[in-house]
């Protein structure tokens, strides 16, 4: 089985990936680190003081959002678990809620680990919540990890 860590690439080290790695070790499962690059999302995502930039061609037809997301997942994995980690990076492009749940179902994940942010009830209603949608739509147990501020 697998443990799926869905990262938004805003923190390094990423607590979501750390918790998922602990679960993968405890159950002797494979760890997948997933990042979903949403349509219209910036080509550069901030992480600490630097940004993850895509090494491919973002101007021409060669640009692939899923490949870019995979590079980001790889960098998050390496910065959190080290370059020698056996965790498998995955990148997807699309609506994060849908892509995360689809990946968890495809991989038959034992646990799905996602991050959460503190929001007001009004903020949740107006802006929605990826974590809330995943909690409602996932078939497997979801572990939510509050990011340290």
């Amino acid at each position: 089985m697998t443990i799926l860590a869905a990262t938004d690439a805003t923190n390094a080290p990423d607590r979501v990936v750390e918790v998922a790695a602990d679960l993968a070790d405890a159950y002797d499962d494979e760890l997948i680190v997933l990042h979903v690059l949403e349509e219209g999302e910036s080509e550069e995502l901030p992480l600490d003081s630097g940004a993850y930039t895509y090494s491919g061609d973002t101007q021409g037809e060669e640009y692939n959002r899923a490949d870019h997301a995979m590079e980001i997942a790889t960098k998050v994995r390496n910065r959190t678990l080290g370059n020698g980690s056996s965790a498998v990076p995955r990148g997807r492009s699309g609506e994060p809620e849908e892509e995360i749940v689809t990946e968890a179902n495809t991989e038959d994940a034992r646990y799905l680990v996602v991050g959460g942010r503190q929001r007001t009830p009004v903020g949740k209603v107006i802006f929605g919540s990826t974590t809330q949608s995943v909690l409602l739509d996932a078939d497997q147990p979801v572990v939510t990890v509050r990011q340290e501020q």
Side-chain angles (χ1 to χ4, degrees):
M1 295 191 86
T2 61
I3 306 294
L4 179 66
T7 180
D8 65 2
T10 57
N11 297 296
D14 191 322
R15 288 259 312 126
V16 169
V17 176
E18 290 172 339
V19 169
D22 289 345
L23 285 168
D25 287 344
Y27 288 101
D28 197 28
D29 285 348
E30 176 183 50
L31 173 60
I32 296 173
V33 177
L34 174 69
H35 179 70
V36 179
L37 197 58
E38 192 170 4
E39 290 298 323
E41 191 171 359
S42 172
E43 309 315 342
E44 294 184 4
L45 296 175
L47 182 66
D48 289 339
S49 60
Y52 286 152
T53 57
Y54 184 56
S55 62
D57 176 13
T58 60
Q59 302 302 315
E61 293 180 24
E62 297 300 312
Y63 178 68
N64 183 312
R65 295 185 78 75
D67 288 347
H68 185 176
M70 177 123 141
E71 283 190 23
I72 293 169
T74 301
K75 290 176 183 179
V76 170
R77 177 202 63 188
N78 291 349
R79 289 185 70 180
T80 304
L81 304 175
N83 290 340
S85 172
S86 63
V88 177
R90 294 270 169 84
R92 298 290 179 260
S93 175
E95 290 297 321
E97 301 87 355
E98 293 173 18
E99 295 297 325
I100 291 167
V101 170
T102 298
E103 187 73 21
N105 290 336
T106 300
E107 292 298 328
D108 193 27
R110 182 187 304 259
Y111 288 104
L112 173 53
V113 185
V114 297
R117 293 186 189 94
Q118 186 170 358
R119 288 182 152 182
T120 66
V122 172
K124 290 176 188 172
V125 169
I126 293 173
F127 299 109
S129 168
T130 299
T131 301
Q132 183 176 342
S133 294
V134 169
L135 282 166
L136 294 172
D137 295 339
D139 292 332
Q140 46 284 115
V142 179
V143 176
T144 58
V145 177
R146 197 168 208 191
Q147 297 289 358
E148 294 177 357
Q149 298 188 11

